[in-house]
Amino acid sequence: MPYPPPATPASSSPLRALVGGLVLFNLLVAGLAGWTLARSHRQHVERAEVTTQNLAQVLEGSLVSTIHQVDLVLQTIADEAKRQDIRPDQRDLLSHIQSNFKRISLLDTLRTTDAEGWPGQAGNPKAGPDIHLVDHPFFRHLKGHPQAGLFISRPSRDGQNGAWVLTLARRLEKDNGDFLGTVFATITLERLTQELAQVDIGTHGSISLRGADLELLGRYPSPEGQALAIGDDRITGDYLAAVRTHRTVSHFTTHSVLDGETRTYTFHRVADPRFYILVGLAQSEYLQGWYQEAVLSGAAVLALLALSSGSAGLAMVAWRRQQIARGLLEQQEAKFRLITENALDVIWTADAAGRLTYISPSIHSQRGFKPEELLGSTFYDPDRQGQGAQPLRALLERVQAASTGIQRFESEQCELDLPRKDGQLIRAEVRVRALWDDHGHFLGFHGVTRDITERARLAAERDHLITQLTQALSEIKSLSGLLPICANCKKVRDDRGYWNSIESYLSDHTEATFTHGVCPDCAQELRSEMLERRARKPPSEAS
């Protein structure tokens, strides 16, 4: 007869529950650690994408600005040739070309050609030998296309085995459209690559620039044999996929075949003129903090497998540190928000019609309105601006009528009274400037409104006090110095040597006037003198 199985101890169920709880807790902590690392990794990658995108925009601005400056020089020379109706080989154009060449230090050559492709005047005295350019792509294109604008060539050698250059050219023609020749400028790709090196991409980052046909113009840092790759339009992998999407901006992370570095790239397409910019940050640099975090988390998980309680403690410390760091970050963000949203001055923007598109929150403390109560209304709305509406409208019209460009605040401002929401008036100083785009189109207004009520009150009090002091000083006329006076008759000698009565002298030299009377002592003396004279007279005369 078989024996029954042994009874399970009563404590085995709680033990299994405890072990199961610990295992579940360990799994939960391990999963949480993995999720945290994955999230942190994604945040680092996103920050790298944002950084590379910003750097690409900076490079785009620098590149477009350089191209536009060169194009402006070319257009100026073309306009000068058309205006004077002169040929490219005439010396009347030489000084104009030389002065424009000196304006842009990045230029390597600035020169003209005649209608047959022979080089003409050069802005650089060391322009090199005259080479027939009739077969050069820029000459053929500009000669065959009367309506052509700026032509940017593929990279080419400047002479035999010379430096790689990028050629920018424009057509020269008469008023009737007849072809006179071309004016062209060259920029060495070495200098263009040096311009790329101005941005900070770290020790292992990279930047590459390609032309309209994806031909390589330059890389930074320059790998060995880069000169052999200039003009190469072959691209593969994620770079090719980003180009095929036709998006302006694309992000991808890939392994570089040139140096073996893994980078996060931003592909940026420049529309006008057409260029392609690729900026990459090395993961080995921007993930250093994440690597440290991963090491710490891995150590915590391994310690958890050995001792659950110790691992839990380490995890709690790491969590607390993370919370502290997040709290500090939120405090910094709150401080920044406090500074930007609580400025005393009201910062605002308006479109070309004068409608408010943005108002800083300080409008509430200054005038009692909430920003949303004024957004969409015109800046000179009489219902909101009261008697200040007309001066504000005149100010905006004056700013809008100014020449294309950005006006200084100090040149376009006014002081006026503006109503608060509760009906009280404040004295305000309003400064306005116009906003323009790169093509000179008017966009709207940017302004600052400052409450100067207290300043105006103090100024009024000061002016009133000055008026009172001035009036008091005007009523004061004083004498100074030695005053010659007779010891017997009390007459005063004036500056001409004449003796005058003291009443006359003081009347002439001060604002004082005299009235006459007799003091009690003199009256008693006169009365006694009169009685004495009467007593000395004979009785007949006395009566």
Side-chain angles (χ1 to χ4, degrees):
M1 178 176 177
Y3 291 96
T8 303
S11 59
S12 60
S13 295
L15 181 60
R16 285 195 300 268
L18 178 60
V19 172
L22 289 176
V23 171
L24 181 61
F25 178 75
N26 290 339
L27 293 176
L28 179 62
V29 171
L32 179 61
W35 174 82
T36 302
L37 286 176
R39 181 172 179 269
S40 177
H41 183 275
R42 183 57 193 165
Q43 289 177 345
H44 281 77
V45 173
E46 289 176 351
R47 283 197 291 268
E49 292 175 350
V50 171
T51 301
T52 54
Q53 182 173 346
N54 292 338
L55 293 176
Q57 290 175 347
V58 171
L59 291 173
E60 177 192 10
S62 176
L63 179 63
V64 171
S65 176
T66 300
I67 298 298
H68 285 175
Q69 287 180 3
V70 175
D71 188 30
L72 180 61
V73 169
L74 298 179
Q75 291 185 58
T76 301
I77 296 174
D79 292 342
E80 183 69 15
K82 180 184 291 186
R83 183 179 65 84
Q84 298 184 15
D85 195 18
I86 60 178
R87 299 191 309 276
D89 58 345
Q90 290 183 345
R91 298 192 62 83
D92 293 342
L93 197 60
L94 178 59
S95 61
H96 192 72
I97 295 175
Q98 290 177 343
S99 63
N100 278 279
F101 177 77
K102 296 177 181 178
R103 290 172 52 191
I104 304 179
S105 60
L106 198 63
L107 289 182
D108 186 65
T109 301
L110 179 61
R111 200 164 190 178
T112 61
T113 69
D114 61 14
E116 302 301 325
W118 289 105
Q121 306 294 350
N124 183 6
K126 301 179 180 178
D130 293 341
I131 301 175
H132 199 199
L133 299 174
V134 68
D135 293 327
H136 200 285
F138 80 83
F139 185 86
R140 295 201 309 269
H141 177 83
L142 293 176
K143 185 175 182 179
H145 297 80
Q147 303 300 323
L150 176 67
F151 180 85
I152 302 177
S153 72
R154 292 174 64 94
S156 60
R157 291 283 191 179
D158 187 10
Q160 185 176 6
N161 298 325
W164 285 98
V165 297
L166 195 66
T167 304
L168 291 79
R170 275 192 174 270
R171 176 186 174 97
L172 296 180
E173 58 185 23
K174 296 181 179 180
D175 287 333
N176 59 5
D178 291 346
F179 181 66
L180 284 176
T182 64
V183 56
F184 66 95
T186 61
I187 302 174
T188 63
L189 295 184
E190 181 180 0
R191 291 188 182 180
L192 200 59
T193 304
Q194 291 174 355
E195 290 294 317
L196 300 179
Q198 300 302 315
V199 299
D200 183 12
I201 55 173
T203 305
H204 301 289
S206 70
I207 299 173
S208 67
L209 177 65
R210 292 181 178 268
D213 298 326
L214 291 172
E215 70 277 11
L216 180 65
L217 302 181
R219 286 194 185 99
Y220 177 79
S222 302
E224 291 186 11
Q226 172 169 281
L228 300 177
I230 295 296
D232 187 1
D233 57 3
R234 292 174 297 176
I235 57 174
T236 58
D238 294 322
Y239 196 173
L240 179 60
V243 173
R244 288 176 174 175
T245 62
H246 301 290
R247 290 198 297 262
T248 301
V249 177
S250 299
H251 305 288
F252 58 90
T253 299
T254 189
H255 184 76
S256 174
V257 297
L258 293 178
D259 55 12
E261 192 75 38
T262 300
R263 297 184 179 91
T264 295
Y265 293 94
T266 288
F267 165 76
H268 191 83
R269 188 193 307 266
V270 182
D272 184 23
R274 177 63 63 84
F275 286 98
Y276 299 92
I277 299 174
L278 189 69
V279 181
L281 293 181
Q283 282 191 346
S284 59
E285 292 181 330
Y286 76 79
L287 286 181
Q288 285 184 357
W290 183 84
Y291 290 147
Q292 296 175 359
E293 184 180 351
V295 170
L296 292 176
S297 299
V301 171
L302 292 177
L304 179 63
L305 297 177
L307 186 60
S308 298
S309 59
S311 303
L314 293 176
M316 183 62 68
V317 171
W319 180 80
R320 287 179 179 176
R321 288 178 178 175
Q322 185 179 7
Q323 291 299 109
I324 292 174
R326 183 176 298 175
L328 292 176
L329 179 60
E330 291 176 353
Q331 290 179 5
Q332 294 298 327
E333 292 178 351
K335 290 179 181 179
F336 178 76
R337 194 162 50 246
L338 181 66
I339 294 173
T340 56
E341 295 183 358
N342 292 276
L344 296 179
D345 294 343
V346 176
I347 303 171
W348 54 269
T349 59
D351 59 17
R355 290 185 296 268
L356 292 168
T357 56
Y358 170 77
I359 306 175
S360 62
S362 53
I363 187 67
H364 186 266
S365 60
Q366 187 181 96
R367 296 181 58 193
F369 293 101
K370 295 181 178 179
E372 54 269 20
E373 296 182 73
L374 300 179
L375 288 176
S377 64
T378 57
F379 186 64
Y380 45 83
D381 185 359
D383 295 336
R384 298 298 189 186
Q385 311 298 357
Q387 296 180 355
Q390 188 60 33
L392 288 174
R393 182 165 188 170
L395 176 61
L396 295 187
E397 291 175 352
R398 187 168 70 251
V399 173
Q400 187 176 8
S403 301
T404 302
I406 300 177
Q407 292 78 33
R408 297 170 51 197
F409 277 133
E410 293 77 2
S411 61
E412 302 296 348
Q413 67 179 33
C414 65
E415 294 185 7
L416 41 76
D417 292 327
L418 295 177
R420 287 176 52 85
K421 188 174 182 179
D422 56 10
Q424 297 182 1
L425 294 178
I426 65 169
R427 189 66 178 176
E429 177 185 79
V430 182
R431 299 182 178 185
V432 182
R433 66 177 177 181
L435 298 178
W436 313 84
D437 62 11
D438 294 337
H439 303 288
H441 298 146
F442 179 69
L443 298 179
F445 306 93
H446 175 210
V448 176
T449 302
R450 175 172 294 179
D451 185 356
I452 60 170
T453 303
E454 182 64 17
R455 189 177 74 186
R457 183 186 66 80
L458 294 176
E461 292 181 357
R462 181 196 61 194
D463 293 341
H464 180 67
L465 179 59
I466 291 174
T467 301
Q468 288 182 330
L469 292 175
T470 303
Q471 182 178 358
L473 288 174
S474 65
E475 296 175 356
I476 297 174
K477 193 173 183 182
S478 61
L479 293 173
S480 62
L482 298 176
L483 190 65
I485 186 170
C486 178
N488 181 44
C489 65
K490 306 304 181 184
K491 288 184 177 181
V492 177
R493 186 180 67 195
D494 59 19
D495 52 0
R496 295 177 296 176
Y498 296 101
W499 292 90
N500 302 293
S501 65
I502 192 170
E503 292 94 334
S504 300
Y505 187 86
L506 292 178
S507 297
D508 293 339
H509 290 79
T510 68
E511 300 296 332
T513 58
F514 287 90
T515 60
H516 293 80
V518 181
C519 68
D521 294 338
C522 292
Q524 180 63 35
E525 184 179 348
L526 290 173
R527 188 180 300 109
S528 301
E529 184 179 350
M530 291 176 61
L531 292 176
E532 183 179 351
R533 288 182 180 179
R534 186 177 297 175
R536 289 199 302 265
K537 288 182 180 181
S540 58
E541 294 181 3
S543 61

